């Protein structure tokens, strides 16, 4: 019996390490379950809605829950991201229409220095609120692993459309127009 | 010193070794003045957040922006730890080359020394056994081949003779 004790311990340790590795790999990757749900037409609730994050360039915090009842176009961006620079005018143009309809764009900075983000906001004339997700946990709950990404959240706090790359064409305008016509 | 005590002492030395050189450093070292932070030193411990490469090799505009930010903090006289804390408060923990020691990340710090200690412990247990077995087998050599009975010996001689042996 004692002959098998050491190989048994080594085997248990090896299995435990493999289980740990599998757990780590499964939890480190980004989840694309939101994409799948939206594609099936099962609009999931926006995750981490009650997480309060600091506003960029202003005192105080805000959260998605604070905006319940509004249509929110959540845009994850960074000052170092060239596609984000390219889509900034599209978002700003849309914001001018959204504010008239109890809706807003909400920018979220991603792995970005606050002074660089503020410079980005000034350079591109951004007027919509921007929050800082320093830990990266808020955007990670949306499955974000890069920028830019845009999520359209309806008045009931559900994600109804998303774009994992640069906005192009009239996608944002058409998506928001469709949601604005839906009953609250 | 008994054999068990020798093993315990060797294991303790191994643990001290895996705990890092800080563990073996004299206590007076902590009282020494904090050295001035340098860009090269900090670049080793920091990642470029956009390209996900170590800052020391990254050449993107974001990497240059991070370097400029670090230079500004060095110019303010901040220590390396203060600068690292400042970078985390700006870019998040993803800016650090080594993950912070909490949650699942703890495995990065715990597992390698744990595996080393476990491996050493297994060797401490198994090696003396193997040596005892080897010594025992040397002391009592295995008996040679059993001699052939006369009938088999005769058959063997006949076969060899037939093949010209």
């Amino acid at each position: 019996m004692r002959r098998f004790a050491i190989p048994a311990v080594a085997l248990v340790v090896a299995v435990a390490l493999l289980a740990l590795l599998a757990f780590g790999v499964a939890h480190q990757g980004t989840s694309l379950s939101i994409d799948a749900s939206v594609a099936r037409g099962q609009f999931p609730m926006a995750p981490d809605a009650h997480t309060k994050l600091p506003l960029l360039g202003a005192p105080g915090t805000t959260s998605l829950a604070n905006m319940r009842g509004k249509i929110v176009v959540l845009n994850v961006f960074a000052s170092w991201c060239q596609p984000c620079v390219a889509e900034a005018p599209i978002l700003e143009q849309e914001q001018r229409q959204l504010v008239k309809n109890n809706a807003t764009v909400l920018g979220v900075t991603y792995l970005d220095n606050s002074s660089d983000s503020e410079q980005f906001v000034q350079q591109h004339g951004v007027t919509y609120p921007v929050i800082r997700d320093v830990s990266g946990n808020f955007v990670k709950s949306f499955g974000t692993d890069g920028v830019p990404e845009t999520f359209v959240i309806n008045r009931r706090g559900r994600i109804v459309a998303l774009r994992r790359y640069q906005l192009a064409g009239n996608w944002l305008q058409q998506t928001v127009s469709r949601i604005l016509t839906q009953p609250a | 010193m008994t054999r068990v005590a020798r093993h315990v002492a060797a294991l303790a030395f191994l643990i001290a070794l895996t705990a890092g050189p800080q563990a073996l450093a004299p206590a007076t070292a902590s009282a020494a003045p904090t050295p001035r932070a340098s860009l090269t030193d900090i670049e080793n411990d920091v990642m470029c957040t956009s390209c996900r490469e170590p800052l020391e090799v990254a050449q993107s505009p974001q990497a240059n922006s991070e370097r400029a930010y670090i230079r500004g903090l060095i110019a303010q006289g901040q220590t390396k730890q203060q600068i690292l804390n400042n970078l985390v408060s700006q870019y998040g923990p993803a800016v650090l080359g080594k993950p912070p020691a909490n949650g699942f990340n703890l495995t990065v710090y715990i597992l390698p020394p744990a595996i080393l200690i476990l491996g050493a412990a297994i060797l401490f247990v198994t090696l003396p056994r193997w040596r005892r077995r080897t010594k025992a087998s040397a002391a009592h050599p295995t008996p040679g081949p059993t001699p052939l009975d006369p009938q088999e010996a005769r058959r063997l001689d006949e076969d060899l003779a037939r093949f010209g042996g």
Side-chain angles (χ1 to χ4, degrees), chain A residues 34 44-51 64 138-143 153 157 159:
Chain A
I34 292 177
M45 290 298 291
D48 283 2
H50 291 276
T51 301
L64 281 176
F138 177 70
V139 295
K140 198 175 179 186
S141 68
F142 283 78
I153 301 165
I159 301 171

Side-chain angles (χ1 to χ4, degrees), chain A residues 2-3 6 9-10 13 17 20-21 23-25 28 79-80 110-116 132-136 145-146, chain B residues 49-52 61-62 65-66 69 87-95 104-105 107 111 115 118 122 125-126 129 133:
Chain A
R2 283 184 64 192
R3 274 180 67 192
I6 291 172
V9 168
V13 170
L17 287 176
L20 197 63
L21 181 69
F23 174 83
V25 169
Q28 295 293 311
S79 64
W80 43 262
Y110 178 81
L111 298 175
D112 205 9
N113 185 315
S114 59
S115 57
D116 290 347
R132 298 190 64 227
D133 179 25
V134 175
S135 72
D145 195 25
Chain B
T49 53
S50 64
C51 35
R52 294 172 190 186
Q62 168 63 4
S65 167
E66 280 183 43
Y69 185 67
L87 287 167
V88 170
S89 73
Q90 287 294 331
Y91 298 101
V95 77
F104 185 75
N105 293 338
T107 54
L111 271 188
I115 290 169
L118 188 73
I122 289 172
V125 173
T126 53
R129 273 191 204 172
R133 261 186 229 161

Side-chain angles (χ1 to χ4, degrees), chain B residues 10-36:
Chain B
L11 208 58
F13 176 72
L14 205 66
I15 292 167
L17 211 64
T18 52
Q22 294 91 339
L24 299 173
T28 49
S30 60
T34 312
R36 186 181 286 269

Side-chain angles (χ1 to χ4, degrees), chain A residues 86-138:
Chain A
E87 68 179 22
I90 300 172
L91 287 160
E92 188 50 38
Q93 192 182 355
E94 196 60 33
Q95 173 67 0
R96 287 189 216 120
Q97 299 304 315
L98 289 172
V99 287
K100 297 173 192 165
N101 293 284
N102 192 27
T104 186
V105 175
L106 177 65
V108 186
T109 63
Y110 178 81
L111 298 175
D112 205 9
N113 185 315
S114 59
S115 57
D116 290 347
S117 302
E118 282 177 36
Q119 205 177 342
F120 179 96
V121 163
Q122 282 171 6
Q123 273 179 357
H124 301 287
V126 170
T127 59
Y128 48 82
V130 175
I131 52 178
R132 298 190 64 227
D133 179 25
V134 175
S135 72
N137 291 335
F138 177 70

Side-chain angles (χ1 to χ4, degrees), chain B residues 118-138:
Chain B
L118 188 73
I122 289 172
L123 284 179
F124 277 127
V125 173
T126 53
L127 276 181
R129 273 191 204 172
W130 288 344
R131 286 179 63 190
R132 275 201 300 274
R133 261 186 229 161
T134 315
K135 275 183 188 168
S137 61

